[in-house]
Amino acid sequence: MNIDLGAPPAPQTQARTHKLWGGRFGAGPTPEFDALNNSIGVDFRLWPYDIRLSQAWAVALWGAGVLTLEESKAIETGLETVAVRLQGGEQPQASDEDVHTLIDRLLHEEIGDVASKLHTGRSRNDQVSTAARLWTIDVCQQLDSALRGLQRTMLEQASGLEAALMPSYTHLQRAIPVSAAHWLLSHFWPLERDRARLRAAHRSAAVLPLGSGAVAGCAYPISRILIQGTLGFDALSPNSIDAVSDRDFIAEVLFAATMIGTHLSRLAEDLIIYGSSEFGFVQFGEGYTSGSSMMPQKRNPDALELARGSAARMLGNLTTLLATLKGLPSSYNKDLQDDKRVLFDATDTLLLVLPAVSGALAECTFRPERMRAALSSSMMATDLADYLVRKGATFREAHGAVGRLVRESESTGQEMQTLPFSSFTAAHPRFSEDVYEALSAERSVTHREVEGGTGPTAVRAQLEAAQAALAPPPTPRSTNTIP
Ligand code: ARG
């Protein structure tokens, strides 16, 4: 039996029929070189963007007087037909070096020799960067909407949890009671910052390199500004040497992706801990969990664990790119071909993980009774100290007195609210009978109405702010249309 272990494809031995280079070479490249050098397996997906930029380039060449109108139109419609073929499922041949070569070959098949004029004045160096930037702009938008989907799920769950009180933790030790909505929203805002990072990465990507040629700029009087407008870029790259090697936009997307991965990982980790029998704050659903092949009772939060694990890959992708960039000499070097592997891996992974985390969260059932059972009166120790401060003690003095009470409750195995009043007065003379009210979790929460705190009004305001953050932005008024 033959089992495909996914080994790299055997080097192609067949004769290559189409190349964008080769005149100065006597012998052709070896199959081993082709197997290493060909990037079609990775960059094929850039074809819609390469078609678009090539159409814009054909028009620019006509504008520069390089192509006649007929030639430019023939190339434009030829590219349209190539797009239809690719859309219809046409696959590259193993001998196609990369997506640019593939499209060039198909264009030749469609319109013959005039196709050879399209590559005038441009290089794959400015071409691949332009295509990758167009792709990145789209993926930033897709990631944004996937993030918003998860944020919406968080809001839906959070609005049912406003009144549910649970322990907050620092050092994973019980700290102070909080509203469960407050806890869940603590995972909303990091994603909001991630969206801002994606917008910044989008802005970095929206700088047009086309017209930079291989490194020194195009030698024909093409209008870059026209290409910018046609392709929807925000600006022109100001230096051709920089333009062909600038991959900052990919590094920025990868950093944003790594932060998203990190944030999802932390959310997943909280949910996994809270879903354990020991905590029991959360019950997982059935759509995003799996069973065990051995232990019939198990329901494992696999989607969340995979989300947590995938953050490591994002980080690996980011460091791979940065390590590649740091040692490169000026301008384009072939090392840069691998930028797309990491870009695609990180964004593909996130586009799988984000909906899964959103689904897993949506089907979680929160259990307020288990949360409440985890609240103990020692968690109101800070409130007790604040009580003494309000009665005129200094905070340090109050901290010491409450510490003694905590020790007493620990050593006698009693909750603080069951300690006799005499214990309180022994700890500090400013305690009076109303001290027992200060030991209620509700009281503790309602005292924290500061902006960003866990008080009910503050949490309500936070929920409203979160809703507002997700409201669609007002549609910008077009400058081209007359009102
Ligand atoms: N496939 C190449 C890449 O992704 C295209 C650019 C090739 N440039 C060159 N000078 N060989 O980077």
Side-chain angles (χ1 to χ4, degrees):
M1 189 171 59
N2 269 335
I3 300 174
D4 179 5
L5 294 177
Q12 292 297 312
T13 46
Q14 80 204 63
R16 285 159 307 281
T17 52
H18 198 90
K19 273 220 167 294
L20 294 176
W21 51 275
R24 62 102 64 228
F25 288 80
T30 59
E32 290 80 5
F33 174 71
D34 274 350
L36 169 67
N37 184 49
N38 290 4
S39 59
I40 187 70
V42 174
D43 59 30
F44 177 58
R45 62 164 78 187
L46 289 180
W47 71 258
Y49 305 97
D50 201 66
I51 295 267
R52 257 171 70 197
L53 72 88
S54 294
Q55 288 178 319
W57 188 246
V59 176
L61 286 177
W62 166 64
V66 176
L67 297 181
T68 64
L69 186 58
E70 291 69 39
E71 288 171 330
S72 170
K73 280 198 154 43
I75 290 174
E76 259 199 286
T77 43
L79 285 166
E80 208 56 62
T81 320
V82 170
V84 171
R85 280 173 66 176
L86 290 167
Q87 190 70 56
E90 173 124 6
Q91 290 301 305
Q93 296 173 358
S95 58
D96 290 320
E97 186 180 328
D98 56 20
V99 65
H100 321 293
T101 315
L102 161 72
I103 289 174
D104 195 74
R105 176 173 64 77
L106 296 179
L107 187 61
H108 276 83
E109 285 177 17
E110 289 301 325
I111 61 170
D113 270 355
V114 64
S116 298
K117 297 194 173 186
L118 175 61
H119 211 55
T120 315
R122 75 174 182 181
S123 153
R124 282 179 297 165
N125 297 355
D126 57 353
Q127 201 177 337
V128 71
S129 167
T130 305
R133 283 166 184 270
L134 288 168
W135 190 91
T136 300
I137 288 169
D138 277 1
V139 88
C140 283
Q141 277 155 2
Q142 288 171 36
L143 286 172
D144 185 74
S145 77
L147 279 168
R148 287 161 58 100
L150 172 56
Q151 287 178 302
R152 263 193 301 277
T153 303
M154 286 179 174
L155 278 186
E156 275 156 28
Q157 286 283 24
S159 19
L161 293 170
E162 276 182 79
L165 300 189
M166 64 181 276
S168 64
Y169 298 86
T170 66
H171 312 265
L172 208 53
Q173 305 292 311
R174 287 177 181 172
I176 298 175
V178 290
S179 148
H182 193 54
W183 158 72
L184 191 48
L185 287 173
S186 76
H187 290 284
F188 176 98
W189 300 107
L191 301 184
E192 199 52 24
R193 298 195 290 276
D194 291 331
R195 290 179 59 211
R197 269 184 281 274
L198 282 174
R199 284 195 294 276
H202 178 145
R203 275 197 298 280
S204 295
V207 177
L208 177 77
L210 202 60
S212 301
V215 57
C218 173
Y220 302 88
I222 46 114
S223 166
R224 293 189 72 205
I225 202 86
L226 218 66
I227 304 176
Q228 178 196 320
T230 311
L231 296 178
F233 280 86
D234 293 344
L236 297 180
S237 57
N239 179 307
S240 61
I241 305 174
D242 173 40
V244 293
S245 66
D246 170 12
R247 298 295 186 272
D248 295 8
F249 68 103
I250 300 186
E252 286 174 50
V253 171
L254 292 179
F255 178 65
T258 306
M259 290 308 298
I260 297 169
T262 304
H263 294 144
L264 296 184
S265 183
R266 297 186 68 186
L267 168 66
E269 174 68 2
D270 267 8
L271 288 171
I272 291 166
I273 293 177
Y274 293 169
S276 66
S277 308
E278 285 70 15
F279 277 77
F281 297 175
V282 178
Q283 212 162 21
F284 303 123
E286 303 210 329
Y288 295 85
T289 48
S290 77
S292 155
S293 57
M294 186 181 189
M295 299 166 280
Q297 85 283 9
K298 291 294 288 294
R299 186 187 288 174
N300 299 326
D302 292 30
L304 298 172
E305 294 170 277
L306 289 166
R308 191 176 55 190
S310 72
R313 289 236 310 283
M314 312 284 162
L315 176 57
N317 287 327
L318 173 64
T319 53
T320 298
L321 183 74
L322 293 178
T324 304
L325 296 181
K326 72 169 276 298
L328 289 186
S330 289
S331 110
Y332 182 83
N333 296 270
K334 199 57 174 275
D335 320 38
L336 292 173
Q337 176 162 280
D338 278 346
D339 59 355
K340 289 169 285 301
R341 285 183 197 278
V342 286
L343 174 65
F344 296 159
D345 180 59
T347 51
D348 287 351
T349 305
L350 275 184
L351 289 172
L352 278 179
V353 163
L354 280 164
V357 172
S358 177
L361 177 62
E363 68 169 17
C364 278
T365 310
F366 288 93
R367 300 177 62 197
E369 75 290 354
R370 292 291 305 253
M371 296 175 175
R372 172 157 281 277
L375 297 173
S376 54
S377 56
S378 63
M379 294 179 58
M380 269 61 83
T382 313
D383 298 285
L384 218 50
D386 290 337
Y387 165 101
L388 283 178
V389 168
R390 273 193 286 274
K391 299 264 180 180
T394 66
F395 186 75
R396 174 169 297 233
E397 207 181 299
H399 190 282
V402 176
R404 284 190 291 281
L405 284 166
V406 170
R407 194 145 44 114
E408 181 176 343
S409 97
E410 253 176 26
S411 62
T412 58
Q414 277 176 290
E415 282 290 309
M416 289 223 285
Q417 77 255 45
T418 59
L419 291 176
F421 183 57
S422 55
S423 299
F424 287 94
T425 44
H428 200 286
R430 289 187 195 264
F431 277 121
S432 47
E433 293 281 356
D434 61 355
V435 62
Y436 291 99
E437 285 158 35
L439 287 168
S440 113
E442 276 73 18
R443 269 284 281 254
S444 166
V445 165
T446 44
H447 268 137
R448 293 183 160 74
E449 288 289 22
V450 67
E451 299 93 329
T454 193
T457 314
V459 169
R460 183 104 290 274
Q462 198 186 153
L463 273 165
E464 279 160 19
Q467 302 276 13
L470 286 190
T475 32
R477 267 191 20 173
S478 166
T479 45
N480 298 329
T481 48
I482 300 152

PDB file of all heavy atoms in Angstrom, residues 15 79 112 183 208 245 280 283 322 390 402 434 464:
ATOM      1  N   ALA A  15       9.874  19.520 -19.586  1.00  0.00           N
ATOM      2  CA  ALA A  15      10.435  20.773 -20.101  1.00  0.00           C
ATOM      3  C   ALA A  15       9.514  21.923 -19.713  1.00  0.00           C
ATOM      4  O   ALA A  15       8.293  21.782 -19.730  1.00  0.00           O
ATOM      5  CB  ALA A  15      10.551  20.686 -21.616  1.00  0.00           C
ATOM      6  N   LEU A  79      -7.009  39.501 -19.942  1.00  0.00           N
ATOM      7  CA  LEU A  79      -6.864  39.237 -18.501  1.00  0.00           C
ATOM      8  C   LEU A  79      -8.215  38.874 -17.885  1.00  0.00           C
ATOM      9  O   LEU A  79      -8.305  38.037 -16.987  1.00  0.00           O
ATOM     10  CB  LEU A  79      -6.254  40.458 -17.799  1.00  0.00           C
ATOM     11  CG  LEU A  79      -4.751  40.664 -18.034  1.00  0.00           C
ATOM     12  CD1 LEU A  79      -4.315  42.069 -17.603  1.00  0.00           C
ATOM     13  CD2 LEU A  79      -3.932  39.605 -17.281  1.00  0.00           C
ATOM     14  N   GLY A 112      -2.164  35.682 -27.525  1.00  0.00           N
ATOM     15  CA  GLY A 112      -0.958  35.570 -28.351  1.00  0.00           C
ATOM     16  C   GLY A 112       0.128  36.557 -27.958  1.00  0.00           C
ATOM     17  O   GLY A 112       0.184  37.025 -26.809  1.00  0.00           O
ATOM     18  N   TRP A 183     -16.089  40.768  33.982  1.00  0.00           N
ATOM     19  CA  TRP A 183     -15.024  39.831  33.607  1.00  0.00           C
ATOM     20  C   TRP A 183     -15.052  39.565  32.101  1.00  0.00           C
ATOM     21  O   TRP A 183     -14.021  39.656  31.419  1.00  0.00           O
ATOM     22  CB  TRP A 183     -15.170  38.498  34.371  1.00  0.00           C
ATOM     23  CG  TRP A 183     -14.458  37.398  33.652  1.00  0.00           C
ATOM     24  CD1 TRP A 183     -13.104  37.228  33.553  1.00  0.00           C
ATOM     25  CD2 TRP A 183     -15.046  36.382  32.830  1.00  0.00           C
ATOM     26  NE1 TRP A 183     -12.814  36.161  32.735  1.00  0.00           N
ATOM     27  CE2 TRP A 183     -13.997  35.622  32.279  1.00  0.00           C
ATOM     28  CE3 TRP A 183     -16.371  36.045  32.517  1.00  0.00           C
ATOM     29  CZ2 TRP A 183     -14.221  34.549  31.420  1.00  0.00           C
ATOM     30  CZ3 TRP A 183     -16.595  34.966  31.683  1.00  0.00           C
ATOM     31  CH2 TRP A 183     -15.531  34.231  31.144  1.00  0.00           C
ATOM     32  N   LEU A 208       1.111  52.285  -2.632  1.00  0.00           N
ATOM     33  CA  LEU A 208       1.332  51.587  -3.908  1.00  0.00           C
ATOM     34  C   LEU A 208       2.810  51.506  -4.303  1.00  0.00           C
ATOM     35  O   LEU A 208       3.456  52.538  -4.504  1.00  0.00           O
ATOM     36  CB  LEU A 208       0.564  52.318  -5.019  1.00  0.00           C
ATOM     37  CG  LEU A 208       0.760  51.744  -6.426  1.00  0.00           C
ATOM     38  CD1 LEU A 208      -0.050  50.474  -6.609  1.00  0.00           C
ATOM     39  CD2 LEU A 208       0.410  52.760  -7.491  1.00  0.00           C
ATOM     40  N   SER A 245      11.096  46.230  -1.247  1.00  0.00           N
ATOM     41  CA  SER A 245      11.417  45.321  -0.137  1.00  0.00           C
ATOM     42  C   SER A 245      10.660  45.648   1.147  1.00  0.00           C
ATOM     43  O   SER A 245      10.824  44.973   2.146  1.00  0.00           O
ATOM     44  CB  SER A 245      12.914  45.344   0.155  1.00  0.00           C
ATOM     45  OG  SER A 245      13.289  46.612   0.639  1.00  0.00           O
ATOM     46  N   GLY A 280     -16.492  25.172  37.726  1.00  0.00           N
ATOM     47  CA  GLY A 280     -17.902  24.975  37.355  1.00  0.00           C
ATOM     48  C   GLY A 280     -18.662  26.260  37.052  1.00  0.00           C
ATOM     49  O   GLY A 280     -19.885  26.282  37.085  1.00  0.00           O
ATOM     50  N   GLN A 283     -20.488  25.932  31.618  1.00  0.00           N
ATOM     51  CA  GLN A 283     -20.712  24.598  31.072  1.00  0.00           C
ATOM     52  C   GLN A 283     -20.562  24.701  29.550  1.00  0.00           C
ATOM     53  O   GLN A 283     -21.169  25.584  28.936  1.00  0.00           O
ATOM     54  CB  GLN A 283     -22.126  24.169  31.415  1.00  0.00           C
ATOM     55  CG  GLN A 283     -22.255  22.708  31.615  1.00  0.00           C
ATOM     56  CD  GLN A 283     -23.536  22.398  32.373  1.00  0.00           C
ATOM     57  OE1 GLN A 283     -24.467  23.219  32.391  1.00  0.00           O
ATOM     58  NE2 GLN A 283     -23.602  21.247  32.982  1.00  0.00           N
ATOM     59  N   LEU A 322      10.346  38.659  10.957  1.00  0.00           N
ATOM     60  CA  LEU A 322      11.281  39.676  11.467  1.00  0.00           C
ATOM     61  C   LEU A 322      12.723  39.189  11.335  1.00  0.00           C
ATOM     62  O   LEU A 322      13.621  39.960  10.980  1.00  0.00           O
ATOM     63  CB  LEU A 322      10.956  40.025  12.917  1.00  0.00           C
ATOM     64  CG  LEU A 322       9.618  40.753  13.124  1.00  0.00           C
ATOM     65  CD1 LEU A 322       9.368  41.006  14.601  1.00  0.00           C
ATOM     66  CD2 LEU A 322       9.569  42.066  12.355  1.00  0.00           C
ATOM     67  N   ARG A 390     -13.130  54.924  55.919  1.00  0.00           N
ATOM     68  CA  ARG A 390     -14.268  55.847  55.955  1.00  0.00           C
ATOM     69  C   ARG A 390     -14.592  56.265  57.386  1.00  0.00           C
ATOM     70  O   ARG A 390     -15.131  57.332  57.629  1.00  0.00           O
ATOM     71  CB  ARG A 390     -15.491  55.213  55.283  1.00  0.00           C
ATOM     72  CG  ARG A 390     -15.516  55.453  53.773  1.00  0.00           C
ATOM     73  CD  ARG A 390     -16.851  55.102  53.145  1.00  0.00           C
ATOM     74  NE  ARG A 390     -17.027  53.652  53.067  1.00  0.00           N
ATOM     75  CZ  ARG A 390     -16.583  52.916  52.056  1.00  0.00           C
ATOM     76  NH1 ARG A 390     -16.021  53.481  51.021  1.00  0.00           N
ATOM     77  NH2 ARG A 390     -16.743  51.617  52.077  1.00  0.00           N
ATOM     78  N   VAL A 402      -7.438  44.422  59.431  1.00  0.00           N
ATOM     79  CA  VAL A 402      -8.201  43.436  58.657  1.00  0.00           C
ATOM     80  C   VAL A 402      -7.356  42.174  58.464  1.00  0.00           C
ATOM     81  O   VAL A 402      -7.868  41.052  58.537  1.00  0.00           O
ATOM     82  CB  VAL A 402      -8.678  44.027  57.306  1.00  0.00           C
ATOM     83  CG1 VAL A 402      -9.373  42.960  56.466  1.00  0.00           C
ATOM     84  CG2 VAL A 402      -9.619  45.200  57.544  1.00  0.00           C
ATOM     85  N   ASP A 434     -22.397  48.005  62.187  1.00  0.00           N
ATOM     86  CA  ASP A 434     -22.702  47.966  60.735  1.00  0.00           C
ATOM     87  C   ASP A 434     -21.592  47.295  59.924  1.00  0.00           C
ATOM     88  O   ASP A 434     -21.677  47.216  58.695  1.00  0.00           O
ATOM     89  CB  ASP A 434     -22.973  49.379  60.198  1.00  0.00           C
ATOM     90  CG  ASP A 434     -21.773  50.307  60.373  1.00  0.00           C
ATOM     91  OD1 ASP A 434     -20.777  49.881  61.000  1.00  0.00           O
ATOM     92  OD2 ASP A 434     -21.838  51.456  59.881  1.00  0.00           O
ATOM     93  N   GLU A 464     -22.745  49.763  27.174  1.00  0.00           N
ATOM     94  CA  GLU A 464     -23.192  50.691  26.130  1.00  0.00           C
ATOM     95  C   GLU A 464     -22.021  51.147  25.266  1.00  0.00           C
ATOM     96  O   GLU A 464     -22.144  51.260  24.043  1.00  0.00           O
ATOM     97  CB  GLU A 464     -23.915  51.893  26.764  1.00  0.00           C
ATOM     98  CG  GLU A 464     -25.356  51.535  27.089  1.00  0.00           C
ATOM     99  CD  GLU A 464     -25.999  52.445  28.119  1.00  0.00           C
ATOM    100  OE1 GLU A 464     -25.470  53.567  28.325  1.00  0.00           O
ATOM    101  OE2 GLU A 464     -27.010  52.024  28.719  1.00  0.00           O
TER     102      GLU A 464
END
